[in-house]
Amino acid sequence: MSKKILWSIMTLSAVLVAIYAIGLLAMPSIRPPFIQNLFTNFPGFTSIHFMGGSIAIVFGALQFSTLIRIKYLSLHRLLGRFYVGAILFSGISGFVLAVNSVGGFYVQSGFGLMAIFWLTTTINAYRLIRKGDVRSHENWMIRSYAVTLAGVTLRLYLGLSMVLGVKFVDAYPVLAWICWIPNLLIAELFLRQRINKTKKSTNQSLPGAC
């Protein structure tokens, strides 16, 4: 499958999740009970988390557009600033929601660590581009967006658990971990392959290389 098709699928998934999140903000009647519980107990933090996450997941997908990066660099930089800002707000509010979750220790620690990784990878990516290290910035942006995509994978796994007949109270503690850790692992495998390919290409271009 080509990179363009994969990017299109990723971007469409991101837009759909963002629309759903905004729908939850605007229409309380469609909120599942556990989401309504968050809005009832932490209305401000929940609203910031959902709005920031919606911006981050869409703008982050656009950051991987080759067309925007090459032809519209100023737009790429502007979207990047919105992406980082959205994650700062959404990540901090997400951490507050995680540690106050009623789902117990596994839910609290799973989502709490996800918020920490989300903030850390994003801040590191921003720090590196400020230093002019474009390659390392790209690598950390891939890690950051892998965590951002938990917004997609969480809903996929939640839907799958419902189809399989797994009770929400049993599935949620597991989903708090598997919605983001596999994403990061896949990102690391991709980056390893990318680094190895670069090294191989460099070695072949050296004088006397076979």
Side-chain angles (χ1 to χ4, degrees), residues 20-201:
Y20 176 66
I22 293 171
L24 293 175
L25 279 167
M27 296 179 286
S29 61
I30 69 170
R31 296 171 186 167
F34 76 102
I35 295 294
Q36 183 56 50
N37 181 64
L38 292 176
F39 276 99
T40 300
N41 294 301
F42 308 96
F45 284 117
T46 305
S47 298
I48 292 171
H49 179 64
F50 274 64
M51 183 56 68
S54 299
I55 294 170
I57 203 167
V58 174
F59 284 16
L62 296 176
Q63 290 298 84
F64 291 95
S65 167
T66 304
L67 176 65
I68 292 177
R69 287 203 313 272
I70 294 176
K71 290 192 174 183
Y72 306 100
L73 184 58
S74 59
L75 176 60
H76 174 76
R77 289 170 176 167
L78 179 62
L79 292 175
R81 292 188 182 98
F82 274 106
Y83 176 79
V84 172
I87 288 177
L88 287 177
F89 282 101
S90 188
I92 293 170
S93 59
F95 181 79
V96 173
L97 295 175
V99 297
N100 288 284
S101 173
V102 296
F105 174 75
Y106 291 109
V107 173
Q108 293 169 353
S109 56
F111 285 128
L113 279 174
M114 183 179 78
I116 292 171
F117 270 82
W118 200 22
L119 289 164
T120 302
T121 54
T122 305
I123 291 170
N124 204 31
Y126 179 75
R127 179 183 65 83
L128 288 164
I129 198 61
R130 295 291 295 175
K131 290 174 62 177
D133 190 345
V134 176
R135 190 67 168 181
S136 296
H137 162 74
E138 290 176 350
N139 291 342
W140 280 96
M141 270 295 294
I142 289 171
R143 295 183 178 104
S144 169
Y145 197 67
V147 183
T148 304
L149 279 176
V152 173
T153 50
L154 174 61
R155 284 154 184 84
L156 286 175
Y157 298 152
L158 183 58
L160 180 61
S161 68
M162 293 173 64
V163 170
L164 295 175
V166 181
K167 293 181 180 179
F168 177 79
V169 293
D170 296 326
Y172 206 46
V174 179
L175 296 178
W177 293 89
I178 67 169
C179 70
W180 63 278
I181 290 181
N183 294 4
L184 265 181
L185 292 176
I186 291 170
E188 287 299 325
L189 288 173
F190 170 78
L191 291 173
R192 288 272 183 99
Q193 291 179 348
R194 187 183 188 186
I195 292 169
N196 290 337
K197 186 181 293 186
T198 301
K199 287 181 178 179
K200 186 177 180 181
S201 177

Side-chain angles (χ1 to χ4, degrees), residues 4-24:
K4 187 173 182 180
I5 294 175
L6 287 173
W7 178 82
S8 298
I9 294 172
M10 179 183 75
T11 304
L12 176 60
S13 300
V15 170
L16 290 175
V17 166
I19 291 172
Y20 176 66
I22 293 171
L24 293 175

